[in-house]
Amino acid sequence: MKTKIVKLEQLEHNENELKEAGQILRDGGLVAFPTETVYGLGADGLNSEASAKIYSAKGRPSDNPLILHIADIKTVDVLAKDVSKEARKVMEVFWPGPLTVILNKKEVVPYGTTGGLDTVAIRMPSHPVARELIKVAGVAVAAPSANTSGRPSPTTAQHVLQDMDGRIDMIVDGGKVGIGIESTIVDMTGEIPMILRPGYITKPMLEQVIGKEVRIDPAILSKEGMDGIRPKAPGMKYKHYAPKGELTIVSSHNMDNMVQTINKLAKEKLDAGYVVGIIATEETKDQYPNGVVKEIGSRKDQVSISAGLYSVLRDFDDAGVEFIYSEGFEQDDFGQAIMNRLLKAAGYEMIRV
């Protein structure tokens, strides 16, 4: 298969390209496209054979559910049943945007899309290219991140090409995405809403809208209890978003101690002849004299950190880095989402100093 790349400069000038991408989706093919979070790998989510192509292209376990992307909130009632008033409130406030809501599915949604679950994950992206593509396609688009399963998610079309060239029909290049990590996932099927994956929409934000407690799945920041279970949402597998090199997080409330520990660990590996990478921030980058040092963003701007995370991990892969040491981050609000992705990428290898 030859993968076609279409660069969209302005939507109004690319109607034909979007129509072609929409036709591919209707015909059961695969199209990668940008969202405000990461690039998604799209297929007709109500077509089991099309969904199966996503799993095949990604090398993704078939029990890992896919998220259905829609362009109109009315589509929720086509896909889901027993939608609570609380769920509707959340959707009205945060859609379009980086929030995925889990609801009880209707029969029209195949088990091949939900990973065998009786629930369906739905979101309405805010990225203009994603919204227009879904409208043009006229189908609910199943779209996990457009990367090989387990690898860092793609935040540029070039990242998609690295993993998916020859495996999918088309890549719609809409430039670099903004947030850089996947959507928040909240399960609204129970009495108490449960966050299954942290993201830009945080627990306090959801609680303010819902008007009651929202719980966080304990598996989010711990590997305990994850082995051998069926994931309730994408990204809940034990190791995910991983670079090729061995990643370790070094965390401390004292910045100087953290930097000193990373420098010590990096020097040990460098002296042993390994290629070492360090994930630093704007505030600390000049304090690392050795190794391949990459600035991820500023601690004063958490979105800059999330936007740079997956690109930095892929840069280390390109540089042949064998061991990576990353600074830890505060696990408050959006920082929890950043640490969730880092911990998954590191297989929960973290040193506290």
Side-chain angles (χ1 to χ4, degrees):
M1 177 188 298
K2 182 173 176 58
T3 299
K4 182 174 181 178
I5 303 173
V6 174
K7 191 172 181 64
L8 295 191
E9 300 291 348
Q10 293 180 315
L11 283 177
E12 59 267 27
H13 297 155
N14 295 96
E15 290 182 10
N16 291 336
E17 287 82 356
L18 278 173
K19 285 179 181 178
E20 182 182 358
Q23 189 63 54
I24 290 170
L25 291 172
R26 285 194 296 276
D27 291 342
L30 301 181
V31 176
F33 61 95
T35 76
E36 70 277 20
T37 56
V38 298
Y39 270 76
L41 178 56
D44 181 353
L46 303 188
N47 179 337
S48 290
E49 292 181 3
S51 292
K53 290 180 182 179
I54 290 178
Y55 288 108
S56 177
K58 285 177 62 68
R60 181 186 179 99
S62 60
D63 67 346
N64 202 355
L66 304 175
I67 295 172
L68 289 181
H69 291 63
I70 62 174
D72 188 333
I73 199 168
K74 294 177 183 176
T75 310
V76 168
D77 292 312
V78 176
L79 306 173
K81 60 185 179 181
D82 307 322
V83 183
S84 67
K85 291 181 180 178
E86 293 168 340
R88 293 192 190 277
K89 269 188 188 179
V90 164
M91 292 183 288
E92 287 168 3
V93 171
F94 295 112
W95 281 3
L99 179 72
T100 295
V101 179
I102 293 182
L103 302 165
N104 292 311
K105 82 176 191 72
K106 285 187 174 177
E107 289 186 11
V108 68
V109 182
Y111 284 112
T113 295
T114 67
L117 300 174
D118 289 318
T119 54
V120 58
I122 307 172
R123 99 171 180 96
M124 185 191 297
S126 63
H127 195 290
V129 172
R131 295 282 304 285
E132 195 61 29
L133 175 59
I134 296 165
K135 288 178 185 177
V136 169
V139 299
V141 178
S145 54
N147 57 296
T148 305
S149 188
R151 290 264 287 136
S153 299
T155 54
T156 69
Q158 187 59 38
H159 293 163
V160 179
L161 189 65
Q162 287 174 358
D163 286 10
M164 292 292 151
D165 191 17
R167 299 186 182 194
I168 65 177
D169 299 283
M170 179 183 283
I171 299 171
V172 177
D173 182 355
K176 186 176 180 179
V177 302
I179 296 173
I181 60 174
E182 298 79 2
S183 61
T184 304
I185 298 178
V186 60
D187 186 348
M188 299 296 295
T189 61
E191 285 293 319
I192 301 174
M194 179 79 73
I195 294 175
L196 304 184
R197 183 176 72 186
Y200 185 78
I201 307 300
T202 63
K203 180 177 183 286
M205 292 164 70
L206 288 167
E207 287 178 334
Q208 185 175 8
V209 170
I210 295 171
K212 69 177 186 181
E213 178 192 16
V214 174
R215 291 184 182 169
I216 297 176
D217 192 295
I220 281 178
L221 292 172
S222 169
K223 66 181 178 183
E224 300 302 320
M226 284 306 299
D227 294 333
I229 72 165
R230 172 180 285 184
K232 294 179 285 185
M236 291 190 76
K237 285 291 192 180
Y238 167 53
K239 194 167 184 179
H240 216 59
Y241 323 113
K244 295 174 184 176
E246 183 178 308
L247 172 62
T248 300
I249 303 163
V250 178
S251 179
S252 176
H253 293 299
N254 185 296
M255 192 73 68
D256 290 338
N257 288 348
M258 182 169 60
V259 170
Q260 288 172 14
T261 302
I262 290 174
N263 276 327
K264 180 177 178 291
L265 293 168
K267 189 175 187 305
E268 289 173 357
K269 292 299 183 185
L270 287 163
D271 288 347
Y274 294 105
V275 182
V276 177
I278 295 173
I279 298 178
T281 56
E282 182 182 318
E283 292 81 2
T284 59
K285 62 182 178 181
D286 296 331
Q287 298 178 49
Y288 299 107
N290 302 305
V292 181
V293 181
K294 295 286 184 181
E295 177 195 327
I296 193 174
S298 171
R299 288 182 178 273
K300 298 174 184 176
D301 179 7
Q302 288 183 317
V303 174
S304 73
I305 292 172
S306 68
L309 175 58
Y310 293 141
S311 290
V312 163
L313 294 179
R314 284 180 174 267
D315 287 346
F316 284 139
D317 285 351
D318 295 341
V321 169
E322 297 163 285
F323 289 90
I324 305 166
Y325 297 99
S326 174
E327 297 178 3
F329 299 94
E330 294 294 327
Q331 296 184 18
D332 60 334
D333 298 337
F334 189 41
Q336 185 182 65
I338 295 167
M339 281 301 291
N340 168 261
R341 303 316 193 273
L342 269 173
L343 285 164
K344 293 282 187 181
Y348 292 91
E349 289 297 320
M350 183 163 71
I351 299 170
R352 298 183 187 275
V353 294

